[in-house]
């Protein structure tokens, strides 16, 4: 027994398609538009605006395509709600930028930089394998400290039992023996924390601030996310591998459409507790990041405006001195 595969086909009315196949070319178009806009804005703001608005429209389509993957395949409440919300929010961002909200150029640039950080791990096999297996080894060490000792095997077979497909080619599978058959838990790229790290890296590197503080903020933020993600992996692996969260089996199986009751622990640990906990952790990290790098309030204020439609001035909330325009500094800036 294992968690669901990363890739799968979604069927609507007899028509089948793989959302991830469609999302990849859209991803490249979005990054090209956002990075192109960032390059153009210094020379031709009008064209930079057009390219950025087109990018936001493509970004909405990107999330629209992924909704079936997150809601039907992954059965993730957090990612499903996030992808649903991202469609109108992306369109709204493009609308606001087209109508003169120039601060959104910074958010556009931030998403482009995020892609520069994340896409190499997504597209370069040896780099992805290195990161996945490093995270696996460190997760295995932490699991051993709890007294559990699952085997770490490659993604194909163990003891003559086929345990995976080509989606798990690395030595990143935790094998737990169970009376009803082995339970395997896989570390994928999504389990490395690189996605969250790239989001914060994009925001940090995109704003105007002294490089010393940007690099310090990036180092602190990335380290914290990485460590927290390791503990998240340990939590899910133990709860699932040792079946410690077999709660409300009938309700959970009906809610997520499960056929094997052993998957209940996985869905409670990952899809419910870990993912919602990650959202809370990222909000707390953002709060500390604003204290360390107040220039990033430009991005946070725009995100809050997109979600709520209300203008916020975080400079007063965080005791930040705001100069005329968009730049912000701390009273004792270094």
């Amino acid at each position: 027994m294992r968690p669901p595969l990363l890739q799968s086909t979604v069927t609507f009315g007899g028509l089948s398609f793989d959302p991830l196949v469609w999302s990849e070319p859209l991803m490249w178009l979005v990054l090209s538009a956002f990075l192109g806009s960032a390059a153009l804005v210094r020379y031709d703001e009008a064209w930079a605006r057009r390219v950025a608005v087109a990018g936001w429209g493509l970004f909405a389509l990107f999330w629209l395509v992924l909704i079936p993957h997150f809601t039907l395949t992954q059965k993730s409440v957090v990612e499903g709600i996030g992808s649903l919300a991202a469609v109108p929010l992306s369109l709204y961002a493009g609308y606001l930028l087209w109508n003169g909200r120039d601060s959104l150029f910074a958010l556009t640039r931030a998403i482009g930089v995020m892609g520069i950080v994340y896409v190499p791990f997504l597209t370069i096999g040896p780099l992805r394998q290195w990161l996945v297996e490093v995270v696996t080894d460190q997760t295995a060490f932490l699991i051993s400290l709890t007294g559990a000792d699952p085997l770490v095997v490659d993604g194909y077979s163990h003891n003559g039992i086929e345990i995976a497909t080509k989606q798990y080619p690395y030595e990143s599978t935790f094998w737990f023996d169970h009376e009803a058959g082995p339970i395997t838990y896989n570390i994928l790229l999504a389990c490395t924390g690189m996605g969250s790290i790239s989001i914060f890296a994009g925001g940090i590197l995109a704003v105007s601030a002294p490089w010393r503080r940007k690099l310090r903020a990036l180092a602190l933020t990335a380290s914290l996310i990485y460590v927290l993600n390791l503990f998240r992996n340990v939590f899910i692996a133990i709860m699932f591998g040792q079946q410690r969260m077999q709660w409300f089996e009938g309700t959970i199986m009906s809610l997520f459409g499960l056929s094997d009751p052993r998957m209940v622990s996985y869905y409670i640990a990952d899809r419910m507790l870990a993912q919602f906990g990650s959202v809370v952790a990222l909000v707390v990290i953002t709060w500390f990041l604003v204290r360390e790098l107040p220039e990033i309030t430009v991005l946070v204020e725009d995100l809050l405006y997109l979600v709520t439609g209300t203008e916020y001035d975080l400079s007063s909330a965080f005791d930040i001195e705001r100069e005329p325009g968009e730049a912000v500094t701390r009273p004792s800036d270094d």
Side-chain angles (χ1 to χ4, degrees):
M1 172 54 55
R2 64 192 310 103
L5 296 177
L6 180 63
Q7 296 185 13
S8 65
T9 299
V10 176
T11 302
F12 286 109
L15 299 176
S16 300
F17 77 103
D18 187 339
L20 300 185
V21 171
W22 288 90
S23 66
E24 183 173 347
L26 284 170
M27 174 192 71
W28 288 112
L29 290 173
V30 170
L31 290 181
S32 298
F34 284 173
L35 293 173
S37 172
L40 279 171
V41 72
R42 295 185 178 182
Y43 307 101
D44 192 327
E45 185 175 299
W47 268 106
R49 190 183 308 277
R50 295 187 185 101
V51 173
V53 170
W56 282 106
L58 290 169
F59 203 37
L61 183 58
F62 170 82
W63 289 113
L64 181 64
V65 166
L66 284 177
I67 288 174
H69 171 71
F70 290 127
T71 57
L72 302 178
T73 303
Q74 295 295 85
K75 297 182 175 67
S76 170
V77 177
V78 172
E79 292 173 321
I81 293 174
S83 59
L84 283 167
V87 176
L89 290 177
S90 297
L91 294 174
Y92 189 40
Y95 169 80
L96 292 174
L97 182 56
W98 181 258
N99 285 279
R101 192 177 178 92
D102 290 353
S103 59
L104 284 168
F105 277 121
L107 183 58
T108 303
R109 182 168 62 250
I111 296 175
V113 175
M114 178 195 72
I116 292 177
V117 175
Y118 186 71
V119 166
F121 293 94
L122 189 65
T123 58
I124 302 175
L127 182 62
R128 180 172 61 252
Q129 179 176 359
W130 169 80
L131 178 61
V132 167
E133 292 186 348
V134 165
V135 170
T136 301
D137 291 341
Q138 293 169 346
T139 301
F141 171 74
L142 292 175
I143 289 176
S144 70
L145 297 180
T146 71
D149 190 26
L151 293 174
V152 179
V153 299
D154 64 34
Y156 293 109
S157 64
H158 179 66
N159 290 341
I161 302 175
E162 184 177 347
I163 61 173
T165 68
K166 65 182 180 179
Q167 281 123 339
Y168 301 106
Y170 312 138
E171 192 170 316
S172 60
T173 299
F174 290 97
W175 174 288
F176 293 85
D177 287 318
H178 189 269
E179 58 184 11
I183 294 175
T184 56
Y185 172 65
N186 308 95
I187 301 297
L188 309 174
L189 180 61
C191 307
T192 63
M194 185 51 61
S196 297
I197 290 172
S198 67
I199 291 173
F200 281 91
I204 292 169
L205 297 177
V207 299
S208 298
W211 274 100
R212 178 185 176 185
R213 284 200 288 107
K214 289 207 291 188
L215 293 177
R216 182 173 64 197
L218 179 58
L220 291 172
T221 302
S223 298
L224 182 57
I225 292 174
Y226 188 85
V227 171
L228 289 176
N229 185 73
L230 288 178
F231 285 103
R232 171 186 175 275
N233 289 340
V234 171
F235 170 74
I236 297 172
I238 293 176
M239 294 301 105
F240 177 43
Q242 296 185 346
Q243 296 286 275
R244 294 191 180 184
M245 289 188 166
Q246 294 300 107
W247 307 333
F248 311 108
E249 288 188 5
T251 301
I252 298 300
M253 290 180 68
S254 298
L255 180 63
F256 290 99
L258 306 178
S259 58
D260 191 320
R262 291 182 298 167
M263 290 300 300
V264 169
S265 286
Y266 174 76
Y267 275 87
I268 292 177
D270 181 21
R271 298 297 195 261
M272 298 177 71
L273 298 181
Q275 289 192 359
F276 280 104
S278 296
V279 172
V280 174
L282 293 179
V283 171
V284 174
I285 292 171
T286 300
W287 187 88
F288 282 107
L289 177 59
V290 170
R291 303 296 303 179
E292 178 68 23
L293 192 71
E295 290 83 355
I296 209 166
T297 56
V298 172
L299 303 180
V300 178
E301 288 171 352
D302 271 338
L303 287 171
L304 289 173
Y305 183 79
L306 288 174
V307 173
T308 67
T310 302
E311 295 284 5
Y312 290 87
D313 181 7
L314 298 181
S315 59
S316 57
F318 288 93
D319 192 25
I320 298 168
E321 294 180 357
R322 187 184 296 272
E323 303 295 336
E326 297 176 7
V328 292
T329 59
R330 294 180 299 185
S332 57
D333 199 7
D334 60 343

